[in-house]
Amino acid sequence: MCIITFSGTHRPLWPRYGEYKFVPRQRWVHNLEATPLALVTWGCRLTMSSVQPSIVKNFIKQHGLQGPEKVSRDGQYDLGLKDPAKIITDIDDSVLCPGS
């Protein structure tokens, strides 16, 4: 198994936010072990075999917006992007999990 770190130095062009059919290994933040749902934040990950919305929301609220780069722009890499993510609060995602 190839382990790719989920913190530290990383590729300068990250994938645009959204759903992908495929993302090359060198663009992964960490080896996600092919689980149906994987959430990745700076220095943390959550994988689940079935979606549990309350756990997902708690993970996002606890670990979101903790990376060293405070940039609001989307990624530049989009090869294989199926469905781009939409902005649901503001460009800075200042409200995590709105409406929950």
Side-chain angles (χ1 to χ4, degrees), residues 25-44:
R25 181 180 359 191
Q26 66 270 25
R27 303 240 182 244
W28 295 355
V29 179
H30 190 80
N31 178 355
L32 301 176
E33 303 158 351
T35 57
L37 176 68
L39 300 174
V40 179
T41 64
W42 188 258
C44 224

Side-chain angles (χ1 to χ4, degrees), residues 12-76:
L13 300 179
W14 60 90
R16 289 185 59 204
Y17 303 122
E19 178 184 348
Y20 284 81
K21 181 176 181 180
F22 172 78
V23 175
R25 181 180 359 191
Q26 66 270 25
R27 303 240 182 244
W28 295 355
V29 179
H30 190 80
N31 178 355
L32 301 176
E33 303 158 351
T35 57
L37 176 68
L39 300 174
V40 179
T41 64
W42 188 258
C44 224
R45 72 178 171 141
L46 171 68
T47 58
M48 343 179 116
S49 56
S50 63
V51 178
Q52 299 174 24
S54 62
I55 293 174
V56 169
K57 289 175 188 175
N58 288 336
F59 179 85
I60 292 170
K61 287 178 179 181
Q62 183 177 358
H63 299 288
L65 304 176
Q66 300 297 318
E69 298 168 336
K70 303 299 181 200
V71 294
S72 299
R73 70 184 194 284
D74 204 349
Q76 300 86 12

